[in-house]
Amino acid sequence: QVQLVESGGGLVQAGGSLRLSCAASGTIFTINRMGWYRQAPGKQRELVAAITSGGATSYAGSVKGRFTISRNDAENTMFLQMRTLKPEDTAVYYCNAEWGVIPGHTYDSWGQGTQVTVSS
């Protein structure tokens, strides 16, 4: 199994920056993809950015050019660098890992979530 622990959320003014971290433990070698999701009050959880085991990245259109997903394999940690933050980025951010060794049979692990609040 894979366990995830997030850190780095907080309160920031519009235009500011924050960096989120997600530390993974357990069967790291089975992770196929990791990502950051967010959920604002009254809204569905949405994918913000993802990175595959091969290093390919993808972003939601609303954050492209402002957010950067990366990872440090030596420390089993994934990051989300967020710049030029907007009030609409306010949400609880969740770290996700999709893992499994059998194609078509994968599992999801989630972190506990970290609050990001952007004031106008």
Side-chain angles (χ1 to χ4, degrees):
Q1 294 189 351
V2 174
Q3 295 80 42
L4 305 170
V5 177
E6 301 128 340
S7 60
L11 173 64
V12 65
Q13 288 188 331
S17 299
L18 278 175
R19 189 176 82 155
L20 306 183
S21 300
C22 174
S25 60
T27 55
I28 306 298
F29 65 93
T30 67
I31 294 176
N32 303 309
R33 189 187 82 156
M34 295 187 73
W36 289 96
Y37 287 72
R38 68 186 181 187
Q39 188 166 20
K43 294 188 177 181
Q44 288 190 328
R45 190 172 297 189
E46 62 173 351
L47 177 64
V48 175
I51 184 166
T52 69
S53 57
T57 59
S58 58
Y59 298 90
S62 59
V63 307
K64 194 172 293 185
R66 300 188 297 122
F67 291 11
T68 303
I69 189 171
S70 63
R71 66 172 194 246
N72 182 326
D73 291 340
E75 297 182 355
N76 297 325
T77 303
M78 178 180 66
F79 305 98
L80 184 68
Q81 179 67 53
M82 304 183 291
R83 298 182 176 88
T84 319
L85 282 160
K86 304 175 181 180
E88 51 263 44
D89 295 318
T90 295
V92 178
Y93 284 69
Y94 296 91
C95 174
N96 167 267
E98 178 189 285
W99 55 277
V101 296
I102 301 174
H105 293 268
T106 58
Y107 305 88
D108 279 298
S109 290
W110 295 90
Q112 79 282 6
T114 186
Q115 177 71 45
V116 171
T117 302
V118 184
S119 63
S120 57

